[in-house]
Amino acid sequence: MSTQVVDGKGWQVQVEDEPLRIGPLELHTRLLMGSSGYPNVQTMLDALEAAGAELVTVAIRRINLKDRSEESLLALLERHGYRVLPNTAGCYTAREAVLVAQLAREALETNLIKLEVIGDDETLLPDVEQLLKAARELINDGFVVLAYTNDDPITCRKLADLGCAAVMPLASPIGSGMGLVNPYNLHLIREMIDDVPLIVDAGIGTASDAAMAMELGYDGVLVNSAISQAEHPVLMARAVRHAVEAGRLAFRAGRMPRRFYARPSSPMEGRVGH
């Protein structure tokens, strides 16, 4: 992303942002996209284009890997130039997740995997014990693991230490649209982990949530339901894209300090009558 800004002397200067690097991936957008829940395939494709997406997640347990016809999801994504990130959505044990990841690698010829291991059907929150076990096995098997997890700083640190290519704490439960319910924990995770990309995954409800996540210093966000379930998915995709870019710029710019009392923006010296 390249942006024109004005420096302290009034000159316009070009501000270049580094690509987002996750394992072997080099992405020029910090908005990762999901592929499920759209009213139809064309809306999904239009939303991906509006979002400027490069990397799109696909739930391996919910598609037919043998279907490579021209209208299959995998073929459509490939034809439109998107990189597919298979995920283990729907897995409840480490054993299931590892098996699904191995099937994805064989079918799609990729070592990339977004690891999800869920604890129950109601909350869809991660099972930390099974998640850590699966992450360890997959990394030892040569996978590039992007691990979806809860917003627990200790779990996130453990995943990073195991060698995950990215750690993906939730903002709130999957599909809830509740936004950042615990920004303190997300801030703490960012402070604790500065050597591994952090992606906010799950719970984003609208563009302002994405901007807030980026302002905390996260390297990107992954959004699905906020766009696919919006009244106008393509418009929301465009809104979230701009929010991610704005949040990233705001983080890089460095916000002013918070103060308890007011402080005038104009100098007090030289006022008329004083």
Side-chain angles (χ1 to χ4, degrees), residues 33-228:
M33 294 279 285
S35 58
S36 64
Y38 287 90
N40 54 66
V41 171
Q42 189 57 54
T43 299
M44 179 197 72
L45 292 173
D46 291 344
L48 293 177
E49 182 179 4
E54 295 178 61
L55 189 66
V56 181
T57 64
V58 173
I60 294 303
R61 294 195 68 170
R62 296 169 185 156
I63 63 170
N64 183 358
L65 289 174
K66 294 181 180 180
D67 181 10
R68 305 310 288 267
S69 63
E70 289 187 3
E71 298 307 313
S72 70
L73 176 62
L74 292 173
L76 283 171
L77 292 174
E78 182 179 347
R79 189 158 69 245
H80 285 81
Y82 298 111
R83 185 79 177 264
V84 171
L85 173 62
N87 71 49
T88 63
C91 293
Y92 292 83
T93 67
R95 181 180 179 182
E96 282 183 295
V98 169
L99 176 59
V100 169
Q102 290 170 340
L103 289 173
R105 177 165 64 182
E106 182 177 345
L108 305 180
E109 299 181 347
T110 179
N111 285 329
L112 292 171
I113 194 71
K114 180 184 174 226
L115 176 61
E116 301 181 27
V117 187
I118 303 304
D120 63 53
D121 289 325
E122 185 174 355
T123 67
L124 300 180
L125 292 173
D127 183 321
V128 172
E129 180 183 4
Q130 295 295 309
L131 173 66
L132 292 170
K133 181 179 179 182
R136 185 179 294 109
E137 291 185 28
L138 290 171
I139 290 167
N140 289 339
D141 194 22
F143 281 89
V144 177
V145 176
L146 292 77
Y148 165 69
T149 183
N150 54 27
D151 61 350
D152 170 29
I154 303 305
T155 301
C156 290
R157 183 68 264 177
K158 286 182 178 180
L159 289 166
D161 290 343
L162 280 175
C164 289
V167 177
M168 308 177 75
L170 55 81
S172 52
I174 291 173
S176 69
M178 291 291 292
L180 280 63
V181 297
N182 197 343
Y184 170 77
N185 267 25
L186 291 176
H187 180 74
L188 189 59
I189 292 166
R190 178 73 282 181
E191 284 200 342
M192 289 177 60
I193 301 176
D194 60 4
D195 54 344
V196 173
L198 292 177
I199 310 294
V200 168
D201 180 13
I204 297 295
T206 190
S208 58
D209 298 332
M212 186 182 299
M214 297 303 294
E215 287 178 11
L216 288 174
Y218 276 72
D219 298 288
V221 298
L222 193 154
V223 182
N224 192 163
S225 297
I227 294 174
S228 67

Side-chain angles (χ1 to χ4, degrees), residues 38-39 43 47 50 226-238:
Y38 287 90
T43 299
I227 294 174
S228 67
Q229 302 300 303
E231 290 186 27
H232 302 286
V234 178
L235 288 179
M236 184 60 77
R238 189 174 297 120

